[in-house]
């Protein structure tokens, strides 16, 4: 068993993130029945039986060869989803009813196009019943009712993707946890986040056309919308938050005995060395085990909050 | 549509033939996860498009070589030729528009 990576910063107490009230961030969600029917058909199509067909029909996937003076319709091999209108609605209408290997000259938008249907794949939609649904192999989905639930959940996930409430809820929990927890931060770990912070500041400032030498605290950075001093202040707060978040994540993982190990770090270093084309020694110098631990434990903590918020909102808006 | 995960070794092979959508992402980026879901949905409808996913945290050299400054970044590639690079989250309809624009050009 590889040695655990231990953080030197300590949490005297970590506020329980599950106690934070996020009811104000629960959005209103109503199932879009029309969209649900579309999603169900789409899923059925994905699990449908693909059969080779003889005649082109709407919704078939066909392989076509076209000869034309218009380059768009001069293709040796092109896949077309009939009726979607992605290639050409007019062409797709005119090839409907053609047989496999049948050649025909058609006119599309004034261009003569000689088409030949090389292959036709038709999808046979399975009947929506418990037996078929169970055969799809979707985890926890064994009945038509489960399947509808699964499709509604997908709709809900899409809805939440576009909604700002989950992000606001995570920020609220994170701030509450940090404000109500007590930490003893280690000097070396603070230095590690400061060093990374400086790198980030330099990168962002350079991208905005400045250099650290010719910028001062009063310089206004228009694209960021603040002075350099305000920007540095914000970045320092983010770094401090990252370290505290790491300590919180480390504390929770310690309780479960699931800490990151030296082997995890070594593997990460190997990957970085190969990717950057540098020696492992150089990779270790550029990415210290101290900062690796901070990043990994902070990432774990944020994921924990993300998952908690997603589950809480999902339960609350459960249609 | 198939989804392939790129490494330093297979990246070039994965993008050289046919129409390819390359998704450069990191695991900690929330919009990347959203875009990943968009691509998964698209796999149900467009079997002839190949998707290549590049985790630029694990493979920073690919990110550097392709000048990826932010994630998600999406590249539309036809037979090895880069057609367009889009930085930021794209909707399903926007990706479909690009498939129509470049695959059927």
């Amino acid at each position: 068993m590889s040695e655990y990576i231990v953080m030197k910063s300590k949490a005297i107490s970590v506020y329980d993130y599950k106690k934070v009230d996020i009811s104000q961030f629960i959005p209103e969600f109503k199932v879009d029945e029309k969209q649900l029917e579309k999603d169900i058909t789409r899923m059925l199509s994905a699990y449908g039986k693909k059969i080779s067909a003889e005649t082109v029909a709407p919704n078939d996937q066909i392989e076509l060869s076209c000869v034309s003076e218009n380059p768009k319709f001069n293709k040796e091999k092109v896949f077309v989803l009939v009726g979607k209108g992605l290639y050409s609605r007019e062409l797709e209408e005119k090839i409907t009813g053609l047989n496999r290997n049948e050649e025909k000259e058609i006119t599309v938008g004034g261009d003569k196009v000689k088409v030949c249907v090389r292959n036709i794949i038709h999808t046979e939609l399975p009947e929506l019943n418990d037996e078929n649904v169970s055969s799809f192999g979707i985890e926890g989905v064994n009945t038509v009712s489960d399947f509808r639930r699964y499709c509604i959940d997908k709709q809900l996930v899409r809805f939440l993707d576009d909604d700002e409430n989950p992000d606001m809820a995570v920020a609220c929990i994170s701030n509450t946890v940090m404000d109500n927890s007590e930490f003893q931060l280690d000097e070396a770990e603070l230095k590690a986040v400061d060093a990374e912070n400086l790198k980030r500041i330099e990168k962002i400032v350079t991208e905005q056309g400045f250099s650290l030498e010719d910028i001062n605290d009063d310089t206004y950075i228009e694209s960021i919308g603040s002075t350099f001093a305000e920007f540095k202040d914000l970045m320092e707060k983010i770094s401090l938050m990252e370290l505290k978040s790491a300590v919180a994540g480390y504390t929770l993982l310690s309780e479960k005995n699931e800490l990151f190990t030296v082997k995890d770090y070594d593997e990460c270093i190997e990957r970085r060395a190969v990717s950057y084309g540098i020696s492992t020694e150089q990779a270790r110098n550029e990415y210290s085990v101290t900062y690796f631990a901070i990043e990994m434990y902070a990432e774990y903590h944020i994921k924990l909050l993300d998952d908690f918020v997603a589950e809480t909102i999902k339960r609350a808006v459960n249609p | 549509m198939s989804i392939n995960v790129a490494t330093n070794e297979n990246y070039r092979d994965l993008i050289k033939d046919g129409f390819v959508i390359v998704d450069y992402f990191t695991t900690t980026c929330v919009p990347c996860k959203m875009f990943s879901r968009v691509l998964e949905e698209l796999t149900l409808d467009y079997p002839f498009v190949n998707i290549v996913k590049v985790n630029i945290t694990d493979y920073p050299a690919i990110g550097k070589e392709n000048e990826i400054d932010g994630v998600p970044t999406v590249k539309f590639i036809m037979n090895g030729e880069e057609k367009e690079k889009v930085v930021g989250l794209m909707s399903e309809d926007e990706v479909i528009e690009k498939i129509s624009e470049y695959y059927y050009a």
Side-chain angles (χ1 to χ4, degrees), chain B:
Chain B
M1 190 188 277
S2 59
I3 299 185
N4 294 292
V5 178
T7 64
N8 287 332
E9 289 73 36
N10 68 7
Y11 176 73
R12 283 177 197 281
D13 277 344
L14 289 175
I15 63 163
K16 71 179 183 190
D17 294 318
F19 184 63
V20 185
I21 299 174
V22 191
D23 169 23
Y24 303 88
F25 71 100
T26 64
T27 51
T28 50
C29 144
V30 176
C32 295
K33 283 175 197 152
M34 289 154 68
F35 187 59
S36 197
R37 282 199 278 272
V38 168
L39 291 180
E40 277 166 28
E41 295 282 321
L42 283 168
T43 58
L44 302 175
D45 293 338
Y46 301 94
F48 53 87
V49 179
N50 297 305
I51 290 175
V52 174
K53 293 184 72 69
V54 184
N55 181 338
I56 62 159
T57 308
D58 286 346
Y59 300 102
I62 302 179
K64 197 173 175 190
E65 190 184 313
N66 287 278
E67 296 173 343
I68 307 301
D69 297 322
V71 285
T73 292
V74 193
K75 275 191 185 183
F76 297 90
I77 296 175
M78 186 71 188
N79 293 327
E81 186 192 337
E82 181 182 323
K83 295 292 182 184
E84 190 175 344
K85 176 175 160 183
V86 179
V87 182
L89 181 63
M90 293 181 80
S91 70
E92 191 175 322
D93 286 345
E94 285 168 337
V95 178
I96 291 170
E97 213 171 275
K98 299 294 174 195
I99 294 173
S100 175
E101 187 177 347
Y102 298 121
Y103 178 69
Y104 295 118

Side-chain angles (χ1 to χ4, degrees), chain A residues 248-268:
Chain A
Y250 169 76
T251 308
L252 295 172
L253 276 176
S254 297
E255 288 164 7
K256 296 202 298 181
N257 229 11
E258 289 177 7
L259 295 174
F260 287 95
T261 65
V262 172
K263 188 174 171 233
D264 294 327
Y265 174 65
D266 288 343
E267 284 171 357
C268 172

Side-chain angles (χ1 to χ4, degrees), chain A residues 42-43 46 61 71-72 75 78-81 84 86-87 154 157-158 161 203 271 274-276 299, chain B residues 8 27-28 30 34 37 41-42 44-48 58-61 69 92 96 99-100 103-105:
Chain A
R42 188 185 217 186
M43 290 293 290
Q61 184 202 321
K72 181 178 167 78
K75 294 182 188 296
V78 64
F79 292 98
V80 180
L81 299 165
K84 288 253 184 196
L86 284 185
Y87 190 20
K154 278 169 92 86
V157 167
R158 281 200 300 266
D161 275 351
K203 185 172 183 279
R271 282 199 303 272
V274 171
S275 287
Y276 285 118
E299 197 176 299
Chain B
N8 287 332
T27 51
T28 50
V30 176
M34 289 154 68
R37 282 199 278 272
E41 295 282 321
L42 283 168
L44 302 175
D45 293 338
Y46 301 94
F48 53 87
D58 286 346
Y59 300 102
D69 297 322
E92 191 175 322
I96 291 170
I99 294 173
S100 175
Y103 178 69
Y104 295 118

Side-chain angles (χ1 to χ4, degrees), chain A residues 22 25-27 159-173 305-306 309-310 313:
Chain A
I22 55 166
F25 302 109
I26 306 295
F159 167 79
L160 291 176
D161 275 351
D162 293 335
D163 193 87
E164 59 186 11
N165 279 291
D167 288 343
M168 285 160 60
V170 170
C172 167
I173 296 177
L305 302 189
D306 278 342
V309 165
I313 291 182

Side-chain angles (χ1 to χ4, degrees), chain A residues 108-279:
Chain A
V108 183
D111 293 310
K112 288 206 182 314
V113 186
K114 199 172 159 188
V115 295
C116 179
V117 178
R118 300 287 182 203
N119 199 9
I120 308 166
I121 303 291
H122 178 75
T123 304
E124 221 169 50
L125 290 191
E127 198 184 318
L128 190 56
N129 58 38
D130 289 355
E131 193 187 344
N132 283 335
V133 163
S134 171
S135 74
F136 294 163
I138 307 170
E139 201 185 331
V141 177
N142 299 306
T143 64
V144 172
S145 164
D146 291 342
F147 187 64
R148 277 184 67 84
R149 175 85 259 154
Y150 177 79
C151 290
I152 289 172
D153 279 352
K154 278 169 92 86
Q155 196 179 110
L156 177 58
V157 167
R158 281 200 300 266
F159 167 79
L160 291 176
D161 275 351
D162 293 335
D163 193 87
E164 59 186 11
N165 279 291
D167 288 343
M168 285 160 60
V170 170
C172 167
I173 296 177
S174 185
N175 288 334
T176 309
V177 169
M178 297 312 152
D179 289 348
N180 293 283
S181 302
E182 206 180 326
F183 300 101
Q184 260 178 10
L185 301 179
D186 173 71
E187 206 53 42
E189 287 171 349
L190 272 168
K191 268 189 186 164
V193 286
D194 281 346
E196 286 303 319
N197 185 35
L198 192 63
K199 280 187 208 166
R200 277 182 216 151
I201 289 175
E202 190 167 8
K203 185 172 183 279
I204 294 170
V205 162
T206 308
E207 279 167 6
Q208 305 309 318
F210 295 96
S211 74
L212 284 183
E213 289 75 38
D214 62 26
I215 200 166
N216 64 51
D217 282 354
D218 297 327
T219 308
Y220 185 75
I221 310 173
E222 205 172 333
S223 53
I224 296 172
S226 68
T227 62
F228 184 49
E230 287 165 342
F231 172 59
K232 275 193 302 185
D233 190 43
L234 173 71
M235 292 298 282
E236 270 164 29
K237 281 181 184 148
I238 291 172
S239 288
L240 190 60
M241 193 78 152
E242 184 184 20
L243 180 55
K244 287 181 176 177
S245 187
V247 182
Y250 169 76
T251 308
L252 295 172
L253 276 176
S254 297
E255 288 164 7
K256 296 202 298 181
N257 229 11
E258 289 177 7
L259 295 174
F260 287 95
T261 65
V262 172
K263 188 174 171 233
D264 294 327
Y265 174 65
D266 288 343
E267 284 171 357
C268 172
I269 287 298
E270 287 294 330
R271 282 199 303 272
R272 287 176 78 97
V274 171
S275 287
Y276 285 118
I278 54 177
S279 66

